[in-house]
Amino acid sequence: IYKMMLFFLNLWSIFHLASQNPTHYWTLKPNVLVLVVTGEVGRHPLSCLHSGISTEDKGRGIFWRKDGVKVESMGNTHFVELRESFGRGNYSCHSEDGALLNHTEVLIQEDDTQRKKILLPEDYLKCSAVNYSGEFHCSWKWHPSRVGKVALIKALRPDLHCTEVSDGQWTCLSSWSNMSCSVDVGRQSITCLDALHCPYAEETQFIRISVYLSNDFLVENYSKHFYLSEIVTPDKVQISKVNKTTIEWTYPSSWASPYSYFPLTFQIAQFTEKGKVSCMMDPCSHSVYTKTVNCVDNCRCKLKGSTKAVCVRAKDALSNAKWSEWSPVRLRSVIPLLLWAWSGF
């Protein structure tokens, strides 16, 4: 009998731990608590008074409200009843005469290990840098049907501690990194700068970006991690001279120097008379001849005699980075292809 009782006790313990709800919780900001739930029935305690009052008096005459409506709970502790996504809301505790003592906004976040997360496309969070100075930019775009707002943004390396110094301004510190971030007015993009980043040293810690979206007391977390070398995309190449036989260009003014240490690889695309060019056509994606050039200075390339338009773009020669946008020129008038710009080029 003893062994059987012990067996059922162990079985109950395993089931109880497996179905624990919430699995954990964390503080989004003062008086805002996020409960990570599994969808099962559960409860979580909220305390009204944490200190300063004797145990005997603590909770005497205290009553609670949820979203402004009085609930049956009395005393210093109120249990948030959880089921699916229910339990979220604004909780407040009051003294016997109705005075506000404390308040907590409870948000719900689904546990990714327990329930399948509603995913956005893989490229929902896009990050890029124009050089290795330590500054980078991330942007995102939610589906029009997704009504909500960004509740919190974190940009950090694994051992950084981040704090919001003002609305939309974050500072992240460690012994070797000092990262500051700013968010645009619409909270659809963020620009960060690691003031202690050394462009000449190999990166040993990746950067992690986390965006927390709140929608009617529900919280979703979308994250991305990367090394700066993976997201560096040069600005558009500056074309300095072009004629019917030769094109010359220079490095983007925003690119890191010296160029011998940060070399770029260039791709030249030529649109010849074999194709028909029009103002509605992008010659850079319809080219019939391309060439790759590596240069530090005196960057130039000979053109075919039948070339009508030429485009140049660049990427970091030492990493598997993305190509920059094309810099197009039409040889017929030897001016930038402004006519193609309006068509979405």
Side-chain angles (χ1 to χ4, degrees):
I1 297 176
Y2 173 79
K3 290 184 178 180
M4 184 170 292
M5 291 179 61
L6 185 60
F7 169 79
F8 282 110
L9 180 61
N10 290 334
L11 186 64
W12 177 85
S13 299
I14 293 173
F15 175 80
H16 176 72
L17 292 174
S19 59
Q20 181 180 352
N21 191 39
T23 59
H24 61 281
Y25 59 91
W26 55 281
T27 301
L28 179 66
K29 51 187 174 181
N31 296 100
V32 180
L33 183 68
V34 179
L35 303 182
V36 183
V37 302
T38 63
E40 303 293 332
V41 175
R43 56 189 343 210
H44 181 80
L46 295 180
S47 296
C48 180
L49 303 174
H50 301 281
S51 61
I53 295 181
S54 65
T55 304
E56 182 180 352
D57 293 333
K58 186 181 290 186
R60 181 177 299 174
I62 292 177
F63 67 92
W64 290 80
R65 295 181 183 272
K66 178 185 178 183
D67 297 328
V69 179
K70 189 174 181 179
V71 296
E72 295 181 0
S73 181
M74 298 289 291
N76 187 61
T77 302
H78 171 74
F79 286 92
V80 178
E81 300 296 334
L82 301 170
R83 186 181 75 255
E84 293 293 333
S85 59
F86 294 100
R88 61 189 187 269
N90 286 298
Y91 294 84
S92 59
C93 57
H94 305 260
S95 62
E96 193 171 6
D97 60 1
L100 176 66
L101 298 176
N102 202 351
H103 65 94
T104 302
E105 181 180 0
V106 174
L107 306 180
I108 299 297
Q109 180 180 358
E110 292 184 349
D111 188 341
D112 297 340
T113 62
Q114 300 288 335
R115 304 186 67 184
K116 185 176 180 180
K117 189 175 183 178
I118 301 175
L119 293 176
L120 295 172
E122 292 183 0
D123 61 348
Y124 70 93
L125 192 58
K126 297 181 179 180
C127 299
S128 63
V130 298
N131 54 41
Y132 289 100
S133 65
E135 181 175 327
F136 62 92
H137 181 81
C138 293
S139 61
W140 53 88
K141 184 177 293 185
W142 308 116
H143 190 277
S145 64
R146 297 172 65 83
V147 180
K149 64 179 181 179
V150 175
L152 178 66
I153 298 172
K154 291 183 179 179
L156 62 155
R157 295 186 189 266
D159 64 345
L160 286 175
H161 174 67
C162 298
T163 56
E164 186 176 11
V165 294
S166 63
D167 186 33
Q169 302 287 332
W170 279 266
T171 299
C172 307
L173 299 173
S174 75
S175 58
W176 52 270
S177 187
N178 182 354
M179 190 178 296
S180 59
C181 300
S182 59
V183 186
D184 69 1
V185 176
R187 299 209 167 205
Q188 293 293 300
S189 63
I190 182 173
T191 299
C192 298
L193 173 64
D194 187 349
L196 299 183
H197 173 73
C198 178
Y200 305 100
E202 182 179 358
E203 289 181 277
T204 58
Q205 297 285 345
F206 60 79
I207 297 172
R208 183 180 183 87
I209 297 293
S210 296
V211 179
Y212 293 85
L213 177 71
S214 65
N215 179 10
D216 190 24
F217 296 104
L218 293 176
V219 175
E220 294 178 76
N221 173 25
Y222 299 96
S223 301
K224 185 173 186 175
H225 64 270
F226 52 83
Y227 293 96
L228 279 179
S229 58
E230 297 175 335
I231 64 168
V232 166
T233 304
D235 278 332
K236 295 176 68 173
V237 172
Q238 298 176 334
I239 297 177
S240 56
K241 181 180 179 180
V242 62
N243 54 42
K244 293 183 179 181
T245 60
T246 306
I247 182 172
E248 298 180 6
W249 65 90
T250 60
Y251 276 57
S253 59
S254 60
W255 188 246
S257 61
Y259 300 152
S260 58
Y261 193 88
F262 301 99
L264 291 176
T265 293
F266 300 91
Q267 189 176 62
I268 297 89
Q270 300 180 51
F271 192 96
T272 67
E273 292 180 350
K274 295 180 181 180
K276 294 183 179 181
V277 63
S278 69
C279 292
M280 296 299 294
M281 184 181 294
D282 172 14
C284 302
S285 60
H286 292 81
S287 63
V288 295
Y289 176 75
T290 59
K291 183 178 181 179
T292 301
V293 174
N294 291 295
C295 61
V296 174
D297 51 20
N298 298 321
C299 297
R300 64 179 63 190
C301 179
K302 291 185 178 180
L303 303 177
K304 289 181 173 295
S306 58
T307 299
K308 285 186 175 182
V310 61
C311 306
V312 184
R313 64 180 181 176
K315 73 171 185 176
D316 186 356
L318 303 180
S319 68
N320 188 27
K322 295 181 180 179
W323 288 99
S324 68
E325 295 183 18
W326 288 105
S327 294
V329 172
R330 185 170 55 185
L331 299 187
R332 183 175 301 173
S333 56
V334 198
I335 60 173
L337 287 176
L338 298 178
L339 293 177
W340 277 298
W342 69 270
S343 63
F345 175 72

